[in-house]
Amino acid sequence: MSYASLSVKDLTSLVSRSGSGSSSSSPKLPGQTRPVKVIPLQHPDTSDESRPPSIPFDDIFSRWTAKIKRMRLVDWIDTLFPCFRWIRTYRWNEYFKLDLMAGITVGIMLVPQAMSYAKLAGLPPIYGLYSSFVPIFVYAVFGSSRQLAIGPVALVSLLVSNALGGIADSSEEELHIELAIMLALLVGILECIMGLLRLGWLIRFISHSVISGFTTASAVVIGLSQVKYFLGYSVARSSKIVPIVESIIAGADKFQWPPFLMGSVILVILQVMKQVGKAKKELQFLRAAAPLTGIVLGTTIAKVFHPPSISLVGEIPQGLPTFSFPRSFDHVKTLLPTSALITGVAILESVGIAKALAAKNRYELDSNSELFGLGVANILGSFFSAYPSTGSFSRSAVNHESEAKTGLSGLITGIIIGCSLLFLTPMFKYIPQCALAAIVISAVSGLVDYDEAIFLWRVDKRDFTLWIITTTTTLFLGIEIGVLVGVGFSLAFVIHESANPHIAVLGRLPGTTVYRNIKQYPEAYTYNGIVIVRIDSPIYFANISYIKDRLREYEVAVDKYTNRGPEVERIYFVILEMSPVTHIDSSAVEALKELYQEYKTRDIQLAISNPNKDVHLTIARSGMVELVGKEWFFVRVHDAVQVCLQYVQSSNPEEKKTSFSSRFGRDNNSSSYTDLRPSNTLLKEPLLPVEK
């Protein structure tokens, strides 16, 4: 359906011809067959004072209650044990071979990586295998992702090392191990709490540029911390780059060639195999086999040539981990900040990877359920000597590329770890430390996200600045401070955007009734005496002052864009286009009332266009509709413009000297637009007929 619209020429002609007219006989436009009409805005009914506005928590709990009532026994089993979702539909002939190969591939990759990451965490290598055993089996039952490969990862291992280094001395190995296991328990509890309370959304406030900057800086620190195994002498243990570099330079006279050559050769082999496996799908097994190849090569050289300057892993206990409960909780308070940080990493990394893999494999995944599954895996893992585990990007990618279909691949990976603990640990004592270091450096090299920095520089300089700030502070001030600064700046940007929303002055596109931003569409024109403003955000206590200031500015600044309508000396009407406004609070409503009174003293009328249902209801309950007048609320911007333009057009020099209230006087109790009676009225009938 199309609606008639007015031009300035039509208005001038029509105003001079129109008389008092009745509502049943509307004036016609020249050359048109029907009068100009306005769509009536339906105001909400606020007479029922006993019904207060709905509280969001009530809505949330009512949805949860309704969902629980609808759940059957099968739904409860699927919720508590997500593994039953794929067990019921498992196709043995089609899936088993794929899951078997994927599980073996990831297991071969995980054994050397787990020992390497345990060394990075400052723990004996066996605890990397312990952390890859029980948590994998538990996650296969409670985890929702079918391709996520969990276990020790480089970033979490660095966080563990950094946290424990400030509490226990490196010589206190038993305390170090006990604290690492306690950390797994605390992380698991936090993850379960956040999953049950569905608080995973809190991490959305951390910008992706902060995450990228943090992981890039952490990768650099991790790589430098492993250089000591290449150089053959000790390097300062720190999460800051300056002490590490200083100690590397200070000990240069102790440099030894054999570990450097062996480590460099293994690192080159790892990188070549990884890149070839990524580039060619038929050779992707090389990517998974790279860590094992490095371990086998290094162990063979050490076993055959016995170079004295190359340090070996040494004796590793044989057998599965035994059940044990933490003996002391004295350091819980000290470990809580690191536990929260590791939990955040789990949400950002693990849940993000799991959701991406679920989308690629076409099944549903609930992020809060996934977080709960990770928490249960860490809690039960801590009872079997595991330090914090989470999802690994590299191993999950290999698992997906190996076409794993279900969590059975994780169970097979766990079996391989169990077999390694039972039968292969005597062989691990000949593994060179530099080989494990090469595996860590190869793994974290992919975390240096310089491509993201280039992308941010091209697309958004503000996000690039955030990336630089996070990376720099993490490198030079440490992990905890780097994260806090990055998150602080990220939240500051969010608050700034919310407190300073985008506001646009709208103009009419030629030949249409469409109104758009005059800066985006230079051809759009405005009318003298009328300002149309669109607010592109919710209106609440934090941004209402900014919005009021901008509205005051537009009374003067908008004149340079005006090129249509009758010649007037000032602004008579301000139209607020509120369709993008999703919420308005009580502080904002009171501020708008004050603004209306301020406008009234300057003979300016406020008009409101197209508020949504909730916003309209809030405004109506506040009494603002009666204050401004129902006739100044419109469905379309164009309707508001036509009414305002009529007033401006119908004014004459004598009328301009009179007060605003006498010219546009009205009864505030009027209930519809048809009650509006200016001297020369154009709009007397609603566009849509009223049903009787």
Side-chain angles (χ1 to χ4, degrees):
M1 180 182 290
S2 62
Y3 306 106
S5 60
L6 289 172
S7 66
V8 177
K9 183 177 178 181
D10 292 332
L11 275 171
T12 307
S13 172
L14 196 55
V15 166
S16 63
R17 294 166 50 191
S18 60
S20 58
S22 65
S23 62
S24 61
S25 176
S26 299
K28 301 291 193 295
L29 284 172
Q32 293 188 356
T33 60
R34 59 167 147 170
V36 174
K37 301 174 183 179
V38 172
I39 302 174
L41 180 66
Q42 300 297 322
H43 291 277
D45 181 15
T46 58
S47 58
D48 185 7
E49 297 295 336
S50 63
R51 185 182 61 187
S54 61
I55 302 173
F57 291 111
D58 291 344
D59 295 339
I60 293 172
F61 287 126
S62 63
R63 287 198 301 268
W64 283 357
T65 304
K67 184 178 180 181
I68 289 172
K69 289 180 179 179
R70 291 195 305 267
M71 290 179 69
R72 301 166 299 168
L73 178 61
V74 175
D75 298 325
W76 280 107
I77 293 174
D78 287 347
T79 301
L80 296 174
F81 304 100
C83 61
F84 281 97
R85 296 175 187 171
W86 56 263
I87 289 175
R88 288 200 310 270
T89 59
Y90 198 83
R91 304 174 188 173
W92 287 93
N93 294 334
E94 183 179 348
Y95 291 167
F96 180 71
K97 182 179 178 181
L98 296 173
D99 285 338
L100 178 64
M101 293 306 298
I104 293 173
T105 302
V106 174
I108 291 171
M109 185 178 183
L110 178 57
V111 170
Q113 277 193 350
M115 293 188 290
S116 303
Y117 293 150
K119 291 293 292 181
L120 174 61
L123 301 170
I126 189 65
Y127 286 92
L129 296 175
Y130 289 163
S131 302
S132 307
F133 182 58
V134 172
I136 285 181
F137 286 104
V138 176
Y139 180 81
V141 175
F142 292 96
S144 350
S145 176
R146 302 172 191 179
Q147 286 79 30
L148 186 70
I150 74 162
V153 297
L155 185 54
V156 171
S157 299
L158 176 65
L159 294 173
V160 171
S161 173
N162 185 59
L164 304 188
I167 301 174
D169 189 78
S170 57
S171 60
E172 301 176 281
E173 187 175 276
E174 285 191 10
L175 178 59
H176 211 83
I177 294 169
E178 186 178 336
L179 292 177
I181 295 170
M182 173 64 68
L183 201 54
L185 178 62
L186 295 177
V187 168
I189 293 172
L190 285 178
E191 288 174 339
C192 285
I193 291 173
M194 293 191 72
L196 290 172
L197 298 181
R198 308 186 72 81
L199 297 178
W201 59 270
L202 290 172
I203 308 298
R204 298 174 193 167
F205 288 97
I206 303 178
S207 167
H208 179 69
S209 52
V210 170
I211 301 167
S212 175
F214 170 67
T215 54
T216 297
S218 299
V220 173
V221 172
I222 291 170
L224 289 175
S225 70
Q226 298 299 296
V227 168
K228 61 183 178 181
Y229 298 113
F230 280 42
L231 302 178
Y233 59 88
S234 296
V235 173
R237 185 175 174 180
S238 175
S239 63
K240 304 173 187 177
I241 191 172
V242 173
I244 297 176
V245 172
E246 286 179 346
S247 63
I248 290 174
I249 296 172
D253 56 329
K254 303 175 185 176
F255 175 76
Q256 299 183 46
W257 280 104
F260 179 78
L261 290 175
M262 178 183 284
S264 299
V265 169
I266 293 174
L267 180 59
V268 170
I269 292 172
L270 292 175
Q271 289 295 92
V272 170
M273 293 180 70
K274 184 166 74 171
Q275 295 303 322
V276 172
K278 283 183 179 180
K280 297 185 178 181
K281 189 174 181 179
E282 62 273 13
L283 297 176
Q284 66 182 14
F285 67 90
L286 292 176
R287 181 181 177 186
L292 183 61
T293 303
I295 290 293
V296 170
L297 178 61
T299 303
T300 302
I301 294 173
K303 182 78 172 173
V304 173
F305 297 102
H306 303 285
S309 57
I310 294 179
S311 60
L312 305 178
V313 169
E315 293 290 340
I316 293 181
Q318 189 173 5
L320 300 177
T322 57
F323 178 85
S324 62
F325 195 78
R327 290 173 292 179
S328 172
F329 294 87
D330 296 338
H331 298 282
V332 168
K333 188 176 179 180
T334 310
L335 294 174
L336 275 177
T338 304
S339 304
L341 185 56
I342 294 174
T343 303
V345 170
I347 298 174
L348 294 170
E349 189 171 310
S350 300
V351 177
I353 296 167
K355 292 186 78 171
L357 292 173
K360 288 181 179 179
N361 290 273
R362 300 180 181 180
Y363 62 88
E364 294 292 330
L365 184 138
D366 179 50
S367 56
N368 292 291
S369 175
E370 178 68 13
L371 194 57
F372 178 77
L374 286 169
V376 174
N378 273 307
I379 290 174
L380 295 182
S382 68
F383 298 147
F384 292 90
S385 304
Y387 77 94
S389 300
T390 190
S392 165
F393 179 80
S394 59
R395 294 194 299 272
S396 298
V398 169
N399 202 29
H400 171 67
E401 290 166 4
S402 301
E403 301 184 32
K405 296 298 181 182
T406 67
L408 182 62
S409 62
L411 294 175
I412 293 168
T413 299
I415 291 171
I416 291 176
I417 299 297
C419 292
S420 300
L421 288 168
L422 288 171
F423 308 113
L424 300 180
T425 49
M427 299 172 59
F428 294 159
K429 67 179 180 180
Y430 296 105
I431 297 175
Q433 300 270 24
C434 58
L436 295 179
I439 292 172
V440 173
I441 294 173
S442 175
V444 301
S445 63
L447 297 178
V448 180
D449 203 357
Y450 54 85
D451 288 335
E452 178 71 11
I454 296 171
F455 172 78
L456 293 175
W457 172 259
R458 274 200 326 265
V459 175
D460 192 334
K461 297 296 190 296
R462 188 191 64 181
D463 280 347
F464 176 77
T465 303
L466 193 57
W467 188 91
I468 290 293
I469 290 172
T470 306
T471 303
T472 305
T473 52
T474 303
L475 282 174
F476 291 95
L477 301 180
I479 292 174
E480 288 85 358
I481 296 177
V483 170
L484 289 176
V485 170
V487 171
F489 272 92
S490 183
L491 290 175
F493 284 149
V494 170
I495 294 170
H496 180 269
E497 286 295 320
S498 179
N500 299 272
H502 180 262
I503 302 176
V505 175
L506 305 185
R508 182 177 176 180
L509 296 179
T512 72
T513 59
V514 177
Y515 292 78
R516 291 291 182 266
N517 187 347
I518 56 178
K519 292 184 178 180
Q520 185 178 358
Y521 297 90
E523 68 274 18
Y525 58 86
T526 60
Y527 292 103
N528 289 319
I530 303 172
V531 180
I532 312 164
V533 180
R534 187 186 68 213
I535 303 169
D536 295 330
S537 78
I539 307 176
Y540 68 114
F541 65 92
N543 63 15
I544 186 62
S545 296
Y546 173 82
I547 292 171
K548 287 173 66 177
D549 292 342
R550 294 296 302 273
L551 290 173
R552 293 188 187 103
E553 292 173 8
Y554 290 145
E555 291 180 41
V556 179
V558 78
D559 286 346
K560 60 183 179 179
Y561 297 106
T562 303
N563 57 4
R564 298 290 176 94
E567 294 295 332
V568 292
E569 298 176 355
R570 64 178 182 84
I571 298 298
Y572 286 101
F573 296 94
V574 174
I575 302 172
L576 296 184
E577 156 65 314
M578 298 186 71
S579 57
V581 179
T582 57
H583 170 74
I584 186 169
D585 70 356
S586 57
S587 301
V589 172
E590 289 301 316
L592 287 180
K593 286 183 177 180
E594 293 173 5
L595 182 65
Y596 169 76
Q597 297 294 352
E598 181 183 327
Y599 278 158
K600 191 174 180 180
T601 62
R602 298 203 298 272
D603 287 351
I604 298 174
Q605 174 63 46
L606 180 68
I608 294 176
S609 168
N610 197 24
N612 72 28
K613 180 182 177 182
D614 294 335
V615 172
H616 198 176
L617 190 60
T618 302
I619 291 174
R621 284 181 172 139
S622 71
M624 188 174 175
V625 172
E626 286 73 21
L627 178 67
V628 177
K630 292 184 178 181
E631 66 272 21
W632 294 108
F633 285 76
F634 301 90
V635 172
R636 300 186 304 168
V637 173
H638 186 62
D639 293 343
V641 170
Q642 296 304 297
V643 174
C644 297
L645 190 60
Q646 171 199 342
Y647 279 122
V648 175
Q649 183 70 31
S650 63
S651 63
N652 55 49
E654 288 74 19
E655 290 173 328
K656 288 179 184 177
K657 296 177 183 178
T658 63
S659 68
F660 182 88
S661 58
S662 62
R663 287 176 55 211
F664 304 130
R666 54 171 174 77
D667 179 7
N668 279 349
N669 296 322
S670 58
S671 60
S672 69
Y673 176 72
T674 55
D675 292 329
L676 188 62
R677 292 289 183 269
S679 58
N680 289 315
T681 185
L682 288 177
L683 307 170
K684 300 183 178 181
E685 294 181 356
L687 180 61
L688 300 178
V690 179
E691 295 183 4
K692 297 182 179 179

